[in-house]
């Protein structure tokens, strides 16, 4: 029986500068296979070939194209999808847009694939299946985050809805990194067991949780556990809002006075010790407040 790739370890790279394209390629391959210099060489080669095609053609806009500089690497270090494709082609891997006809099956069964590359603006990251389990290798995360198969599908749909470009990577992925881990110290790469990755993710999520009174925006890509917490908090906030709105409603006696009922002028005050039993206390628990008002409306 074939053993787990890389001895069961996960290779992850933490964001360094604007090298997310490098991190993305390496985590797809699960090893420090490429550096920023390697991708820059591929980008330069692509630029030269594209410029030669424009010079050989009769395109009226070739002069504008040649004056731009590079379409495959920005001054900030962001690389084009063509560069990532060339890098992965070295390992006989194919990069396919998710909206391609040959990628139709992945829309319904994404877990049958082995890797996805995601891009928005100037950020790249990959999701990769390792030893039968899916992980998010976003370099903005301190460690790879485990993804259930159900969450993988929902997460991909969410990314597409937010404008992310999704690419599928197919082919024979390397089973072992040819570079010994002891010689692979590139400053931002690390080898982790799945348990270590989980421990690091949980620890960092706890440290980054906002304290009371602090305003904080939600993370761009919340983990499944964070999504559950957010949903529970939203439900509590909703119940509290309903309770507050019900406490602001006028009592039936007050409503009668507003309608001109002369016999209702002696309505009970909420401050009367023998006062209205259906008045909701301002310090009541929100859930109790909802129940009390529901009973009042029924009666």
């Amino acid at each position: 029986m074939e053993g787990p790739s890389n001895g069961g370890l996960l290779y992850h790279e933490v964001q360094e500068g604007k090298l997310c394209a490098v991190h993305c390629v390496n985590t797809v391959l699960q090893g420090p296979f490429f550096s920023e210099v390697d991708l820059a060489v591929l980008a330069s080669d692509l630029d030269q070939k594209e410029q030669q095609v424009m010079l050989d053609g009769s395109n009226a806009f070739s002069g504008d194209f040649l004056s731009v500089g590079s379409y495959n690497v920005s001054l900030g270090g962001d690389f084009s999808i063509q560069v990532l494709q060339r890098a992965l082609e070295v390992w006989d891997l194919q990069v396919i847009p998710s909206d391609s006809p040959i990628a139709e099956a992945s829309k319904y069964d994404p877990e049958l694939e082995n890797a996805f590359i995601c891009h928005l603006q100037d950020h790249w990251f990959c999701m990769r299946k390792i030893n039968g389990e899916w992980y998010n290798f976003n370099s903005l995360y301190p460690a790879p985050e485990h993804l259930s198969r159900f969450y993988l599908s929902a997460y991909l749909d969410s990314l597409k809805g937010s404008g992310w470009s999704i690419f599928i990577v197919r082919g024979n992925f390397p089973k072992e990194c040819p570079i010994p881990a002891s010689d692979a110290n590139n400053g931002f790469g690390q080898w982790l067991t799945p348990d270590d990755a989980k421990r690091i993710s949980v620890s960092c999520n706890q440290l980054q949780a906002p304290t009371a009174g602090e305003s904080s925006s939600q993370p761009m890509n919340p983990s499944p556990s964070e999504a559950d917490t957010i949903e529970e908090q939203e439900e509590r906030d909703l119940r509290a809002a309903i309770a507050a709105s019900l406490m602001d409603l006028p009592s039936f006696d007050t409503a009668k006075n507003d309608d001109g009922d002369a016999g209702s002028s002696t309505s009970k005050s909420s401050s009367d010790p023998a006062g209205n039993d259906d008045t909701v206390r301002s310090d009541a628990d929100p859930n109790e407040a909802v129940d009390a008002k529901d009973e009042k409306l029924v009666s």
Side-chain angles (χ1 to χ4, degrees), residues 6 17 20 32 36 47 49 75-76 110 119 134 146 178 192 247 263 291:
N6 286 330
C20 55
E36 64 272 26
D47 287 338
K49 291 181 178 180
L75 294 177
H119 179 257
W134 280 94
H146 181 265
L192 300 168
M247 284 188 283
D291 296 338

Side-chain angles (χ1 to χ4, degrees), residues 15-281:
Q15 184 79 15
E16 178 77 11
K18 293 187 177 181
L19 302 181
C20 55
V22 179
H23 307 320
C24 180
V25 170
N26 284 340
T27 49
V28 167
L29 297 171
Q30 280 298 283
F33 291 83
F34 289 92
S35 68
E36 64 272 26
V37 176
D38 297 326
L39 294 193
V41 170
L42 292 176
S44 177
D45 182 59
L46 281 170
D47 287 338
Q48 292 177 9
K49 291 181 178 180
E50 290 170 357
Q51 290 175 2
Q52 188 61 47
V53 170
M54 298 303 295
L55 287 173
D56 293 342
S58 57
N59 194 312
F61 300 100
S62 59
D64 294 336
F65 177 89
L66 295 175
S67 65
V68 169
S70 175
Y71 275 97
N72 292 293
V73 59
S74 68
L75 294 177
D78 185 33
F79 293 92
S80 69
I81 183 59
Q82 288 78 13
V83 174
L84 275 68
Q85 286 176 319
R86 288 289 299 274
L88 293 173
E89 283 174 359
V90 174
W91 293 92
D92 296 325
L93 295 174
Q94 185 181 13
V95 179
I96 305 169
S98 63
D99 56 359
S100 170
I102 62 176
E104 185 72 19
S106 68
K107 296 179 181 179
Y108 309 102
D109 296 305
E111 68 275 7
L112 298 180
E113 303 292 343
N114 287 301
F116 292 94
I117 288 177
C118 310
H119 179 257
L120 181 65
Q121 296 177 355
D122 60 350
H123 187 61
W124 295 94
F125 74 94
C126 95
M127 288 179 282
R128 177 82 152 83
K129 183 164 62 176
I130 307 294
N131 302 322
E133 298 293 333
W134 280 94
Y135 294 90
N136 185 349
F137 287 94
N138 195 327
S139 57
L140 297 178
Y141 293 175
E145 291 194 343
H146 181 265
L147 302 174
S148 68
R149 293 185 178 183
F150 172 78
Y151 189 74
L152 170 68
S153 179
Y155 188 34
L156 284 169
D157 289 341
S158 175
L159 291 174
K160 292 176 184 177
S162 299
W164 286 75
S165 298
I166 311 295
F167 303 88
I168 302 168
V169 183
R170 291 176 178 171
N172 296 319
F173 293 79
K175 290 294 183 182
E176 300 291 338
C177 177
I179 305 172
S182 59
D183 298 333
N185 183 16
N186 56 12
F188 39 75
Q190 54 185 338
W191 300 87
L192 300 168
T193 66
D195 288 341
D196 286 340
K198 180 179 180 180
R199 176 180 52 81
I200 294 173
S201 296
V202 171
S203 176
C204 290
N205 286 337
Q206 291 175 345
L207 290 175
Q208 294 174 358
T211 58
E214 292 181 347
S215 60
S216 171
S217 60
Q218 297 298 339
M220 177 180 64
N221 301 323
S223 66
S225 59
E226 291 174 326
D228 293 340
T229 303
I230 294 170
E231 184 177 353
E232 292 172 0
Q233 181 61 45
E234 289 177 346
E235 183 176 354
R236 289 194 296 268
D237 292 344
L238 178 60
R239 291 185 66 86
I242 294 174
S245 64
L246 289 174
M247 284 188 283
D248 291 337
L249 290 175
S251 66
F252 286 146
D253 292 330
T254 303
K256 291 179 181 179
N257 287 335
D258 293 340
D259 291 338
D261 187 346
S264 303
S265 59
T266 59
S267 60
K268 298 177 184 178
S269 171
S270 60
S271 61
D272 186 356
N276 199 344
D277 292 337
D278 57 11
T279 301
V280 178
R281 292 179 290 110

